[in-house]
Each structure stands twice: as C-alpha cells, then as structure tokens.
Amino acid sequence: KNCYRMVILGSTKVGKSAIVSRFLTGKFDEQYTPTIEDFHRKLYSIRGDVYQLDILDTSGNHPFPAMRRLSILTGDVFVLVFSLDNRESFNEVQRLKRQIYETKSCLKNKTKENMAVPLVICGNKGDREFQREVAREELKQLVAGNEQCAYFEISAKRNTNVDLMFRQLFDMAKLP
Ligand code: GDP
Ligand code: MG
C-alpha cells in the first residue's frame, strides 16, 4: 500500500490547523481562521517508490455525525488534539478515542481488544503552561498499555515536539 490517510480530530481552536501547517509548511500563524474541512495531499518519493499521504483537517464542530464516522472509517492514522489550557477539549479527545476504537472494531468485526489503530494524542499549547487544566498523571493513564497509542505535549507555536510526534505516528503505522 502506497497511499495513507491521516485524520486530525479535536475541539475547535485547539490548534489542529496550526499543527498541520507546521507539518506542511513549517509556519505558524497567530491569527485564527476557522476550518470547515481542509484536505491536503503530500507526495513522497522514497528509494524510487512514490507514497501519497492525504491529510484531513476537520472543523471540530460536527453537525453531521455521519461525516465524522466516515472520516474515521477511511482514516489509517489519527491525530487527536486538545489544548492543555482547556479541560473540555481533553474530554472531547477521550470521547473521540473511544469512538475511533468502536468504529474501527465494528469494521473488523472484533471486540474492543482491537486497538491496533495508530493514534497520537497531542496536548497542544504547551507554551501556555501557566494555564494548565489537565494533570500529567491523567495523561499517562490515557496511553498506558497500548503500543499503538502515544501522547505528546507539544506547542505548534514554539514548534516543540511537533516533528517528534509525527515521526512516532509514522513509526507506529510502519509508514516510510
Ligand atoms: P483549530 O480550530 O483546532 O484548527 O485551531 P487553529 O490551528 O486554528 O488555532 C486556534 C488558535 O490557537 C489560533 O489563534 C492559533 O494561532 C492558536 N494556537 C495554535 N497552536 C498554538 C500553540 O501551540 N500555542 C499557542 N499559544 N497558541 C496556539
Ligand atoms: Mg482548524
């Protein structure tokens, strides 16, 4: 398979688009621009083989649950984003994680043990440490015992851990 689909999920304004922008262009924008649904395509050539990475950047509001379900079904790897200074956005990530496992395991006709979906959870805006609303202890528990799930504390603004997070996601998914 040479074609992969990455889906970015999380509440609005947590920095999903900022992370995608760091990944694709290396840039950061202070100004907020609401996302409806953005689609990016990146082609890589590695040792003569061409790989395609599609990135779906979502809005965070989901007036159409069926659409979100569809993006989960078609996604290969997932980035779930919350903001470390926003408790509710963390709760949303917990719900999304559950929904991904449920949706994917339905597809494979297995039970909840099937958690082999490469997934990274990002606590973004790590540069705003003084406003922290999610304790470190809780975050450890979130990924405990699942090799296909990792947590990173990042800052799209300062460009902290963003590359590391993507590298880990690709490694988990065995992408080149
Ligand atoms: P999205 O709705 O999840 O796509 O969020 P955006 O990427 O549009 O970002 C929302 C707002 O948060 C924008 O004003 C960004 O500049 C800001 N932002 C994004 N990432 C960071 C970060 O790491 N630190 C800080 N302080 N602000 C950020
Ligand atoms: Mg956005």
Side-chain angles (χ1 to χ4, degrees), residues 69-157:
R69 193 178 134 78
L70 189 65
S71 51
I72 292 174
L73 281 172
T74 54
D76 299 305
V77 300
F78 294 86
V79 179
L80 304 188
V81 186
F82 69 96
S83 180
L84 285 159
D85 63 3
N86 181 334
R87 179 75 210 180
E88 179 44 37
S89 71
F90 175 69
N91 298 341
E92 175 68 3
V93 159
Q94 291 179 300
R95 288 191 287 270
L96 284 165
K97 182 169 170 258
R98 223 173 298 130
Q99 193 186 352
I100 289 171
Y101 289 151
E102 279 168 11
T103 307
K104 289 295 196 190
S105 58
C106 284
L107 187 70
K108 291 187 178 151
N109 208 3
K110 285 187 191 160
T111 51
K112 290 212 180 99
E113 290 135 45
N114 176 31
M115 298 200 296
V117 189
L119 183 160
V120 282
I121 295 169
C122 300
N124 189 38
K125 308 198 186 184
D127 54 285
R128 309 190 74 209
E129 175 67 38
F130 54 98
Q131 304 237 1
R132 192 179 184 100
E133 288 191 8
V134 189
R136 290 200 165 78
E137 201 47 46
E138 273 181 286
L139 293 163
K140 264 191 231 158
Q141 287 171 13
L142 196 66
V143 296
N146 186 347
E147 282 176 11
Q148 293 282 39
C149 182
Y151 170 71
F152 285 90
E153 209 135 298
I154 70 170
S155 166
K157 183 174 179 167

Side-chain angles (χ1 to χ4, degrees), residues 16-17 33-35 57-58:
K16 296 181 296 301
S17 300
T33 312
T35 311
D57 181 15
T58 62

Side-chain angles (χ1 to χ4, degrees), residues 19 79 120 122 152 154 161-169:
I19 292 167
V79 179
V120 282
C122 300
F152 285 90
I154 70 170
N161 280 345
V162 177
D163 293 343
L164 197 69
M165 177 275 288
F166 281 112
R167 190 62 257 164
Q168 170 83 25
L169 181 62

